[in-house]
Amino acid sequence: MARPRAFDERHVLERAREQFWETGYAGTRMDDISRATGLGKGSLYGAFGDKAGLFHRVFDDWCTAVVEVARERLTGGPDAQALDRLSGYVHLMAENSASDTERRGCLLAKGAAELAHQDPTVAARSAEAMQTLLNLLRTEISAAQRHGDIDRAADPEQLAALLLTVVRGVEAVGKAGLAPQTLRTVADTALELLPLTEGRQRRATGRGPSGEN
């Protein structure tokens, strides 16, 4: 019978995530992971395989968390609240980037940028996460169209792709040093670009007709 592991796997994965997040995949050695987690390299190899195997676990968990945040914000509730859910999600993503004072960015974007061209597992997992995010946004846009908040003639797939590009792009330019208030303004501008029906612009941006709060 296999011996039970004498460590908290979740804690080890969290510490490994912090190390990969801080120094990137190429810049992280198993010695670094060993120091960060307090486990010997033999235990790490036995539990997770090589460095790539450990990173894949960390990356998969991160992608799952990113999708879950979106799912919590974008699913459930009546069509009448779909536009508010979209607005809330876009603003949340912008605020998260604006408050990232350490400019570490998102591990999904960081890992994909570093490894997707050479690691099929990372490429497939990041693509899957992005497709799920796109689907969630498209579903909410379609709900807002059914309720009459967004022009029904608009293509929900294209609008979802626009919003997804904005929320992921905000993270990238925020990491590069764009001012926090500019990131928030980008979110407002993206929502203003939605083909809203009359009287819905204020609901989406949270601003009055003249831009006042």
Side-chain angles (χ1 to χ4, degrees):
M1 186 173 69
R3 296 172 57 186
R5 293 176 180 172
F7 61 86
D8 183 339
E9 183 177 281
R10 179 52 50 191
H11 172 75
V12 170
L13 289 171
E14 288 175 354
R15 298 304 303 160
R17 179 196 67 204
E18 291 298 311
Q19 187 65 53
F20 283 125
W21 202 2
E22 182 68 26
T23 56
Y25 180 80
T28 299
R29 302 172 304 162
M30 287 301 280
D31 285 334
D32 301 322
I33 300 293
S34 181
R35 282 193 295 270
T37 62
L39 286 181
K41 288 193 290 183
S43 296
L44 290 169
Y45 286 126
F48 305 106
D50 57 9
K51 185 176 81 167
L54 177 56
F55 182 80
H56 291 160
R57 282 288 306 276
V58 168
F59 190 73
D60 180 67
D61 286 349
W62 184 274
C63 290
T64 298
V66 167
V67 169
E68 283 306 307
V69 168
R71 186 168 284 123
E72 289 172 2
R73 294 280 176 163
L74 294 174
T75 58
D79 290 355
Q81 296 173 0
L83 184 60
D84 292 332
R85 291 193 294 270
L86 282 167
S87 176
Y89 176 69
V90 172
H91 284 126
L92 173 67
M93 293 298 99
E95 191 58 40
N96 285 349
S97 296
S99 61
D100 182 14
T101 57
E102 297 180 5
R103 296 183 186 175
R104 293 204 295 177
C106 174
L107 188 61
L108 193 168
K110 190 171 185 177
E114 183 180 4
L115 295 172
H117 69 290
Q118 65 187 46
D119 188 324
T121 299
V122 171
R125 186 66 182 94
S126 59
E128 178 187 18
M130 289 299 163
Q131 185 62 52
T132 302
L133 293 174
L134 183 67
N135 293 343
L136 289 169
L137 287 165
R138 184 184 62 231
T139 296
E140 288 301 286
I141 289 167
S142 295
Q145 289 177 307
R146 286 194 300 270
H147 188 253
D149 289 338
I150 293 178
D151 185 356
R152 296 187 182 191
D155 186 333
E157 183 82 17
Q158 293 180 2
L159 294 180
L162 169 65
L163 292 184
L164 179 60
T165 301
V166 168
V167 297
R168 303 311 303 180
V170 161
E171 181 271 327
V173 296
K175 184 179 178 182
L178 204 62
Q181 187 52 46
T182 302
L183 303 181
R184 299 181 180 103
T185 300
V186 167
D188 283 340
T189 302
L191 291 164
E192 288 168 359
L193 291 174
L194 293 176
L196 303 182
T197 54
E198 186 177 356
R200 299 306 183 181
Q201 193 80 12
R202 181 175 180 177
R203 289 183 55 199
T205 63
R207 296 182 175 187
S210 301
E212 71 272 18
N213 292 328

